[in-house]
């Protein structure tokens, strides 16, 4: 599993929003400056987060973004799954319910499944509040 810049930056955006009062909106430009990330790139990330209902946006003067829930209600796992699509360590686990045609004979599949479960359990146990 290799987390892309989109996943890493989404976590940084969420942490930036988590560290302020839950009533306050933070402008995307402020987040971009604070995190030293391109505002253009952050627009696509914040759009993904917004469409998933993780953040709320407000247009106009005093607008920006804020979390929809408390920081302890967001897990790193859910944020990374949203931005990465999968956390699977190997592509054969990403095939959905119908595994690859070699699954019944694969000697390594149980190991990969266990690693996948360990990764998922760990990332689902870490919240934004923990990271703050």
């Amino acid at each position: 599993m290799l987390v892309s810049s989109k996943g890493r930056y989404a976590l940084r955006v969420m942490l930036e929003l988590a560290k302020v009062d839950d009533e306050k909106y933070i402008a995307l430009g402020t987040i971009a400056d604070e995190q030293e990330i391109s505002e253009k790139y952050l627009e696509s990330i914040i759009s993904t987060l917004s469409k998933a209902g993780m953040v709320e946006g407000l247009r106009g003067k005093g607008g920006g973004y804020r979390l929809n829930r408390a920081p302890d209600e967001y897990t790193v796992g859910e944020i990374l799954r949203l931005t990465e699509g999968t956390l699977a360590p190997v592509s054969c686990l990403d095939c959905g319910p119908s595994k690859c045609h070699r699954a019944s004979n694969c000697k390594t599949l149980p190991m990969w499944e266990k690693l996948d479960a360990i990764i998922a359990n760990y990332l689902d146990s870490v919240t934004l509040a923990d990271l703050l």
Side-chain angles (χ1 to χ4, degrees):
M1 174 187 77
L2 182 64
V3 178
S4 71
S5 60
K6 184 175 184 179
R8 294 189 322 270
Y9 292 176
L11 276 175
R12 289 167 54 186
V13 167
M14 295 294 282
L15 284 169
E16 197 66 31
L17 295 174
K19 71 181 189 182
V20 298
D21 176 18
D22 61 356
E23 297 296 315
K24 187 176 178 187
Y25 288 88
I26 307 298
L28 195 59
T30 302
I31 298 169
D33 291 345
E34 189 70 26
Q35 290 296 318
E36 299 177 348
I37 301 171
S38 157
E39 188 171 346
K40 182 89 171 146
Y41 192 34
L42 284 185
E43 286 173 1
S44 71
I45 293 170
I46 204 78
S47 174
T48 300
L49 295 169
S50 182
K51 286 177 186 170
M54 291 189 165
V55 299
E56 174 186 354
L58 179 68
R59 294 180 185 258
K61 186 174 169 94
Y65 295 90
R66 69 178 183 187
L67 298 181
N68 277 332
R69 305 184 310 239
D72 64 349
E73 296 177 22
Y74 291 93
T75 69
V76 171
E78 85 175 301
I79 296 165
L80 291 180
R81 275 186 207 89
L82 176 65
T83 56
E84 300 296 313
T86 182
L87 299 175
V90 290
S91 61
C92 65
L93 294 179
D94 203 22
C95 298
S98 59
K99 295 183 175 150
C100 83
H101 69 284
R102 293 193 27 80
S104 61
N105 297 324
C106 182
K107 301 295 184 205
T108 62
L109 182 59
M111 175 197 61
W112 294 126
E113 289 173 330
K114 187 172 181 180
L115 178 60
D116 186 42
I118 290 168
I119 291 168
N121 288 336
Y122 175 68
L123 293 177
D124 288 337
S125 74
V126 179
T127 68
L128 292 179
D130 295 331
L131 296 176
L132 288 177

